[in-house]
Amino acid sequence: MLFQIQSYLKFLWHSKNEHAVHSPFVFSLLTKCFYDKKPKPEYDILKKYRKTLLENKNFIEVTDFGAGSRVFKSTRRQISKIAQTAGISPKRAELLFRVTNYFQPENILEIGTSLGLATSALALGNPKAKVVTIEGCPNTANVAQNQLAEFDCKNVENIISEFESFLISENIQATNYNLIYFDGNHSKKATLAYFDLLLPTIDNDSVWIFDDIHWSPEMEEAWKIIKSHPKVKVTIDTFQWGFVFFRREQLKEHFIIRA
């Protein structure tokens, strides 16, 4: 916790808003997407999705393949508590919806479904997109699948699999993903492994979003390595998320942005 506080203070010191950005691409993204305050009808759906999970008092046995939980001490967890503590926040869900709606990606991959709070934002952001979401824990995945069906997210394909075994399949490497949301394993080794495995799937307009880039010292190290990769041209650090863009026409630039 102390590490994250120190990281956040550094972030606040270095972060800027749209007035300090001279890249037309990033300026447009900030003003038309990140800072868009207009109400959206989809926000009500996202709120209802969350509300039904917060009211679900059932318990499930969770298999955790990632870096573990800082909140839960047991693998037997109440669905409402998972939604309350482990899921994407309402503000972040709305931002994820806006990002998806702004870029209109056709093929979306999510690594780490959990209860589908972020999945629903991706699905609603572009209903015409195909959203593939991977979850390692069968019980959590089943809750998400039922929830997504209840909210008519028909463009989502739920896959129960350990992440790396799915990502090394030939099918995944042969697909072009326009947006990938990484929220499955907050460790340096896994994050960099997923980065390398998924590089063949990018096109010039691909958008990658890494969750919890300041989760730990090793996640910050992973973020630095990703930023330095020759194929990465633009990054945006919003503290919670790291955005990665591969636009060949862009000069290499890194932004620290309050969002």
Side-chain angles (χ1 to χ4, degrees):
M1 183 62 74
L2 178 60
F3 170 79
Q4 289 186 322
I5 292 170
Q6 291 172 335
S7 292
Y8 188 62
L9 291 174
K10 288 179 188 175
F11 168 82
L12 289 177
W13 179 257
H14 294 289
S15 62
K16 304 285 190 290
N17 59 23
E18 76 273 23
H19 301 298
V21 171
H22 302 294
S23 163
F25 168 75
V26 176
F27 182 82
S28 178
L29 175 61
L30 297 184
T31 55
K32 296 178 181 179
C33 176
F34 279 30
Y35 299 150
D36 179 7
K37 303 300 182 186
K38 295 188 291 292
K40 320 283 184 193
E42 291 86 357
Y43 291 173
D44 291 332
I45 301 172
L46 294 175
K47 286 173 184 173
K48 288 176 185 175
Y49 189 106
R50 180 181 302 276
K51 185 172 182 287
T52 58
L53 288 170
L54 292 173
E55 292 171 349
N56 190 333
K57 304 304 179 184
N58 294 324
F59 283 82
I60 58 172
E61 192 70 27
V62 173
T63 306
D64 198 339
F65 295 100
S69 172
R70 288 175 172 166
V71 177
F72 297 105
K73 304 303 179 188
S74 168
T75 55
R76 187 174 182 269
R77 301 170 189 175
Q78 195 171 36
I79 291 170
S80 61
K81 296 296 184 184
I82 299 172
Q84 186 179 351
T85 59
I88 190 173
S89 71
K91 180 183 175 184
R92 290 284 156 183
E94 291 178 0
L95 176 56
L96 189 58
F97 164 81
R98 292 198 302 275
V99 169
T100 310
N101 190 251
Y102 179 81
F103 287 108
Q104 288 291 293
E106 293 181 6
N107 290 307
I108 299 172
L109 176 65
E110 179 187 33
I111 301 176
T113 316
S114 187
L115 298 176
L117 287 161
T119 320
S120 60
L122 294 166
L124 291 168
N126 183 11
K128 295 180 180 178
K130 179 182 179 182
V131 182
V132 175
T133 182
I134 317 167
E135 175 56 48
C137 172
N139 294 332
T140 309
N142 288 334
V143 173
Q145 191 166 4
N146 292 334
Q147 185 82 353
L148 289 162
E150 183 180 335
F151 281 82
D152 208 27
C153 294
K154 295 178 179 177
N155 57 335
V156 177
E157 180 184 354
N158 295 82
I159 293 173
I160 301 172
S161 172
E162 288 189 47
F163 303 142
E164 196 159 342
S165 61
F166 176 75
L167 296 180
I168 59 176
S169 69
E170 290 183 15
N171 290 341
I172 201 84
Q173 305 258 345
T175 305
N176 280 117
Y177 284 104
N178 313 108
L179 190 153
I180 302 180
Y181 179 54
F182 296 81
D183 185 25
N185 188 325
H186 299 145
S187 73
K188 175 183 175 181
K189 181 181 178 181
T191 300
L192 294 177
Y194 303 159
F195 178 88
D196 289 334
L197 284 169
L198 286 164
L199 266 182
T201 74
I202 65 170
D203 60 26
N204 197 54
D205 297 318
S206 292
V207 183
W208 287 12
I209 307 170
F210 290 87
D211 186 53
D212 277 335
I213 56 172
H214 297 283
W215 166 273
S216 63
E218 68 164 18
M219 278 301 289
E220 285 196 346
E221 289 171 14
W223 178 239
K224 287 178 183 175
I225 292 169
I226 289 167
K227 284 165 60 178
S228 67
H229 193 280
K231 288 191 176 180
V232 171
K233 290 302 180 74
V234 175
T235 66
I236 301 175
D237 177 349
T238 67
F239 189 74
Q240 178 77 33
W241 286 344
F243 288 80
V244 173
F245 302 92
F246 302 91
R247 296 158 56 86
R248 289 184 294 273
E249 66 273 24
Q250 297 275 150
L251 293 172
K252 197 173 184 76
E253 286 186 277
H254 306 295
F255 299 89
I256 302 175
I257 299 292
R258 295 187 291 274

